[in-house]
């Protein structure tokens, strides 16, 4: 460690009239630059899990995800880098030819197995995991999206590269591990933007992860955080023309690519809050670019969307 360059992130200020008019400042932390596939928060979440697997002398990591999962792609690539075997349990039926995410994972040596959506729901049950062990032998299990207490620890390191005095940190939220790590590493406000509909359940998920983190590492964690659940665009991986337009325009203006599933929705939300509310007035805001750009290839091949 580290083959992935954690120092390769960049804090860039974004300039626009609607930001200065509110006396705010907006920075973006380019965690996406860490590695093209093991990008952003997926590296942060895997780091201490890989170290733990090595410590336990486990040669295989098994994990779960959907067919376009950034976490699956990242786990395959990271395991290859660190000489571990990887197994990906994929939700749904196999589709051939493989999409770019899964092809990349296979090229990185990941063994893929497909399970039905109903099996997928029960994937953390003891007897299901036992059946996987009978099939594949011993493994170190990383949960869906990579979020466990060691993932939270990895994400507490994200803000180490931020050298401005900020008031607010913003991140996209899927399973809540990244959010928990950010909350555990600052007393300033952390705002999470769930990428899925009905994201209020994530309050509980983040609290569970924070509790586990507090318990394991014997530290108190801040309560200065909240979720903004209005920018899911209809649900997980659902998109709308105005989102595509926003992401395209953002790239033209700032020369920074966003993904449609997470960072695009979050930044759309931040811009909307800055323009149309007073919530972020006078604040110095740091937005975490959590990466996920490999996922854009899926939108290109399925819908012809060029970003
Ligand atoms: C997975 C992912 C997230 C969500 O992270 P969680 O820790 O699951 O909440 C956010 N952004 C990107 C780009 C991701 O790939």
């Amino acid at each position: 460690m580290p083959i992935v360059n954690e120092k390769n992130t960049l804090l860039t200020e974004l300039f626009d009239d609607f930001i200065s008019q509110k006396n705010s400042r907006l920075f973006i932390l380019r965690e996406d630059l860490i590695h093209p596939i093991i990008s952003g928060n997926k590296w942060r979440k895997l780091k201490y899990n890989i170290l733990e697997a090595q410590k336990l002398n486990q040669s295989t990591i098994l994990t779960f995800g959907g067919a376009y999962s950034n976490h699956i792609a990242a786990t395959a690539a990271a395991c290859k880098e660190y000489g571990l075997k990887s197994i990906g349990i994929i939700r749904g039926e196999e589709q051939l030819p493989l999409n770019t995410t899964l092809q990349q994972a296979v090229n990185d040596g990941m063994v893929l197995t497909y399970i039905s959506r109903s099996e997928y729901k029960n994937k953390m049950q003891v007897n299901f995991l036992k059946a996987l062990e009978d099939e594949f032998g011993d493994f170190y299990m990383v949960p869906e999206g990579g979020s466990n207490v060691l993932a939270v620890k990895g994400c507490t390191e994200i803000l180490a590269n931020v050298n401005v005095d900020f008031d607010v940190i913003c991140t996209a939220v899927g399973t809540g591990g990244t959010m928990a790590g950010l909350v555990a590493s600052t007393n300033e406000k952390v705002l999470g933007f769930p990428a899925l509909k009905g994201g209020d359940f994530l309050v509980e998920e983040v609290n569970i992860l924070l509790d586990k983190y507090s318990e394991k590492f014997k530290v108190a964690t801040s309560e200065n955080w909240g979720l903004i659940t209005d920018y899911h665009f209809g649900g997980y991986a659902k998109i709308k023309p105005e989102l595509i337009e926003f992401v395209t325009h953002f790239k033209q203006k700032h020369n920074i690519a966003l993904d449609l599933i997470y960072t695009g929705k979050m930044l759309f939300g931040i811009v909307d809050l800055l323009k149309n509310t007073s919530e972020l007035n006078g604040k110095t805001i740091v937005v975490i670019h959590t990466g996920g750009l490999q996922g854009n290839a899926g939108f290109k091949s399925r819908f012809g969307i060029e970003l």
Side-chain angles (χ1 to χ4, degrees):
M1 299 246 172
I3 292 169
V4 178
N5 190 355
E6 292 178 7
K7 294 278 183 294
N8 200 20
T9 80
L10 204 67
L11 188 70
T12 310
E13 184 160 10
L14 303 177
F15 296 96
D16 217 322
D17 288 346
F18 67 84
I19 305 169
S20 51
Q21 275 158 13
K22 295 293 176 84
N23 286 321
S24 301
R25 294 182 77 186
L26 185 60
F27 292 85
I28 187 164
L29 181 66
R30 300 288 309 280
E31 288 273 297
D32 58 309
L33 299 176
I34 288 179
H35 187 283
I37 305 292
I38 318 171
S39 83
N41 65 346
K42 296 303 182 283
W43 165 247
R44 301 288 178 184
K45 297 205 280 184
L46 282 167
K47 177 180 174 183
Y48 288 103
N49 279 295
I50 288 174
L51 288 171
E52 184 70 8
Q54 288 174 334
K55 205 161 88 189
L56 298 171
N57 280 322
Q58 290 285 1
S59 58
T60 304
I61 287 186
L62 177 144
T63 194
F64 307 89
Y68 295 92
S69 164
N70 295 330
H71 168 65
I72 287 288
T75 303
C79 285
K80 183 182 173 197
E81 296 270 16
Y82 291 96
L84 295 163
K85 290 183 218 137
S86 63
I87 300 169
I89 311 293
I90 309 300
R91 181 183 61 228
E93 274 170 33
E94 180 178 35
Q95 309 263 0
L96 293 173
L98 293 177
N99 68 43
T100 46
T101 300
L102 295 182
Q103 188 61 55
Q104 171 82 48
V106 167
N107 293 350
D108 285 335
M110 184 175 260
V111 172
L112 302 180
T113 302
Y114 297 83
I115 61 175
S116 69
R117 279 159 200 275
S118 55
E119 281 177 298
Y120 196 84
K121 283 207 181 83
N122 299 324
K123 63 187 176 304
M124 297 302 272
Q125 286 180 3
V126 177
N127 44 4
F128 185 74
L129 291 172
K130 178 77 180 58
L132 287 175
E133 230 164 55
D134 292 343
E135 188 175 347
F136 295 109
D138 266 1
F139 53 76
Y140 179 89
M141 195 271 291
V142 174
E144 178 179 38
S147 288
N148 57 15
V149 71
L150 291 178
V152 175
K153 178 176 162 72
C155 291
T156 64
E157 297 176 355
I158 293 174
L159 298 181
N161 295 327
V162 174
N163 55 6
V164 296
D165 272 334
F166 54 84
D167 306 302
V168 183
I169 296 291
C170 295
T171 186
V173 181
T175 57
T178 307
M179 177 87 191
L182 292 167
V183 171
S185 59
T186 180
N187 289 319
E188 301 301 335
K189 180 128 198 165
V190 182
L191 287 179
F193 293 74
L196 34 88
K197 200 150 97 184
D200 285 325
F201 80 93
L202 285 164
V203 171
E204 168 100 25
E205 296 294 314
V206 173
N207 272 324
I208 291 171
L209 286 165
L210 284 172
D211 286 348
K212 285 187 185 159
Y213 181 81
S214 287
E215 195 176 319
K216 185 170 170 80
F217 296 104
K218 308 277 178 263
V219 287
T221 54
S222 150
E223 292 178 12
N224 191 11
W225 60 276
L227 297 180
I228 302 211
T229 54
D230 304 327
Y231 299 101
H232 55 70
F233 286 86
Y236 186 73
K238 297 276 194 316
I239 54 172
K240 294 198 170 145
E242 63 261 41
L243 177 65
I244 299 168
E245 199 181 311
F246 174 82
V247 167
T248 306
H249 177 77
F250 192 90
K251 172 126 184 245
Q252 283 163 356
K253 175 143 180 105
H254 301 292
N255 199 24
I256 297 174
L258 302 174
D259 80 300
L260 287 173
I261 297 183
Y262 293 103
T263 54
K265 291 181 181 180
M266 165 189 61
L267 267 149
F268 186 103
I270 293 164
V271 168
D272 190 46
L273 290 177
L274 273 166
K275 282 186 173 166
N276 299 315
T277 76
S278 57
E279 169 138 10
L280 297 174
N281 286 11
K283 306 282 191 214
T284 298
I285 307 151
V286 173
V287 175
I288 314 298
H289 192 321
T290 40
L293 296 174
Q294 72 84 30
N296 284 355
F299 285 99
K300 183 172 175 199
S301 60
R302 277 181 298 168
F303 310 115
I305 298 168
E306 293 268 5
L307 294 166

